[in-house]
Amino acid sequence: MISILYLNDINRELTAAPAAFAARADAEYEARLQRLAQDIYAHREENPVILISGPSGSGKTTTALKLEKLLDSWGCETHTLSMDNYFHPFDEEQRQRAARGEIDLESPARVDADLLSRQLRDIIRRRPVRLPKYDFTTSQRVYPGAVLERRSGDLVILEGIHALNPDVVQIPDESSARLYISVRTRVADGGLVLHPAKIRLLRRMVRDRLYRNRSVEETLRLYDSVQRGEGLYIMPHKHRATHEIDTFFPYEIGAYRPLLLQDLLGLDPEALAPIQDLLQILTNAAPLREAFVPRSSMIREFIGNGQFAY
């Protein structure tokens, strides 16, 4: 179910009691995760693998880490794996082609499905596996020595954009719980309704600007490619999810406003043309100081200074 929130109502809350508004939004999200974790815990013997998928900027990493923390606290040892660590290595020629945009980095072919699926099947059977780690500075896969041997009742979370693709994750459906997460809520301002993809774009622009040395203009240039990849590679497998969760936080646009608005206003009109809807919402949003965003919030995945290490 898709819901719509009105910017005037959000602004009223942000102006009247910003800290309480943010805390309430996070408490509601934590309650949704708690219900999900309870269901996962109840079926941990038959579904030892939790697959988490969703488009870029959906909050997959924090959701995985929060679920791990919850399940660990209930005595259910949980291990989180990132699909990124199963990327195929690149040689120098491939690295140069990728830098020129000649390799589709969103494609499921980027993942070594044979290695990933073989290790997951071994994990399900409680056989030890030596986990890889992908070194993005060299585009090589390395093995730093971590060995995972799942005990009875332990859980393994795998998060990645292709986690619901059965050609990439080749394990029996009955051995997994499958979670699809994304922004589902739309924000309305007058007659304008902002699509959830634009909210995820806001998240990526903030994260890229603060932590990936990428300007908002560069992130905008990648937008069409990212959307294309989502349509081709992620959405076709959404129906396989056994659980879905909306990761929108009503206060988040206010948190992004101080971090992004001036940069966006400095772009030329041609660059701004595709995001006039986003610019209107961001301009009209009441700002929220970073200090009011809880340290445990999923929004910290994008603005930083949170309690999780990414």
Side-chain angles (χ1 to χ4, degrees):
M1 180 178 176
I2 296 173
S3 62
I4 296 178
L5 294 181
Y6 292 90
L7 188 62
N8 282 343
D9 295 334
I10 294 173
N11 285 346
R12 191 177 304 113
E13 297 272 13
L14 283 172
T15 303
F21 183 48
R24 188 166 67 250
D26 270 78
E28 290 170 359
Y29 179 69
E30 296 288 343
R32 294 199 297 274
L33 278 187
Q34 178 110 358
R35 291 191 294 271
L36 173 63
Q38 287 169 343
D39 187 67
I40 289 171
Y41 182 83
H43 298 92
R44 64 192 182 281
E45 292 293 345
E46 62 265 40
N47 303 143
V49 176
I50 300 99
L51 304 175
I52 300 181
S53 178
S56 176
S58 61
K60 295 183 294 297
T61 304
T62 302
T63 300
L65 293 173
K66 281 180 170 289
L67 282 174
E68 178 183 351
K69 184 177 179 181
L70 261 176
L71 292 162
D72 282 346
S73 73
W74 298 340
C76 179
E77 186 70 24
T78 304
H79 314 270
T80 298
L81 309 180
S82 171
M83 186 174 284
D84 289 1
N85 288 323
Y86 292 87
F87 284 168
H88 283 291
F90 276 173
D91 59 27
E92 185 57 35
E93 179 188 357
Q94 289 169 316
R95 291 179 69 181
Q96 291 177 12
R97 290 178 57 208
R100 294 194 299 267
E102 296 173 2
I103 294 178
D104 184 357
L105 297 179
E106 305 293 322
S107 169
R110 185 79 176 88
V111 181
D112 187 340
D114 289 341
L115 174 64
L116 172 61
S117 300
R118 185 170 66 250
Q119 288 207 337
L120 285 176
R121 290 192 293 267
D122 283 343
I123 288 169
I124 291 168
R125 297 177 184 127
R126 301 205 297 273
R127 297 173 179 169
V129 298
R130 192 160 60 103
L131 298 174
K133 187 169 182 59
Y134 198 81
D135 184 342
F136 283 90
T137 62
T138 63
S139 299
Q140 296 297 307
R141 201 164 54 217
V142 297
Y143 290 86
V147 174
L148 172 59
E149 185 171 4
R150 189 180 71 86
R151 298 171 301 179
S152 178
D154 287 1
L155 291 169
V156 171
I157 297 173
L158 173 70
E159 63 92 4
I161 63 173
H162 303 299
L164 298 186
N165 185 334
D167 293 328
V168 175
V169 181
Q170 302 161 11
I171 61 174
D173 281 354
E174 58 268 22
S175 66
S176 67
R178 298 177 296 281
L179 174 59
Y180 181 84
I181 71 169
S182 188
V183 176
R184 300 293 305 278
T185 300
R186 287 164 164 77
V187 177
D189 183 28
L192 183 151
V193 179
L194 191 67
H195 191 275
K198 294 290 181 67
I199 295 169
R200 291 189 290 104
L201 174 59
L202 279 171
R203 292 175 173 183
R204 292 199 304 272
M205 285 194 293
V206 169
R207 180 177 59 194
D208 288 355
R209 175 183 173 275
L210 293 177
Y211 301 107
R212 298 187 178 180
N213 196 29
R214 183 181 291 159
S215 69
V216 294
E217 189 170 19
E218 290 175 297
T219 305
L220 280 173
R221 279 201 299 268
L222 294 171
Y223 179 66
D224 287 342
S225 173
V226 171
Q227 289 296 103
R228 174 184 171 276
E230 291 172 7
L232 284 174
Y233 307 130
I234 302 174
M235 299 306 292
H237 306 291
K238 176 183 172 182
H239 71 279
R240 300 189 65 245
T242 56
H243 305 77
E244 291 190 29
I245 192 164
D246 183 354
T247 63
F248 178 70
F249 287 71
Y251 64 80
E252 65 178 284
I253 295 175
Y256 305 145
R257 187 185 191 276
L259 299 171
L260 285 180
L261 184 57
Q262 290 307 310
D263 281 7
L264 289 175
L265 291 175
L267 298 181
D268 62 63
E270 184 178 350
L272 288 174
I275 59 161
Q276 286 300 318
D277 50 355
L278 183 153
L279 186 62
Q280 175 181 319
I281 293 283
L282 198 65
T283 300
N284 293 341
L288 177 70
R289 287 169 46 205
E290 183 201 334
F292 292 133
V293 179
R295 290 288 304 279
S296 61
S297 176
M298 194 203 74
I299 300 306
R300 292 286 180 180
E301 182 174 332
F302 309 101
I303 68 172
N305 298 318
Q307 70 174 32
F308 294 108
Y310 298 104

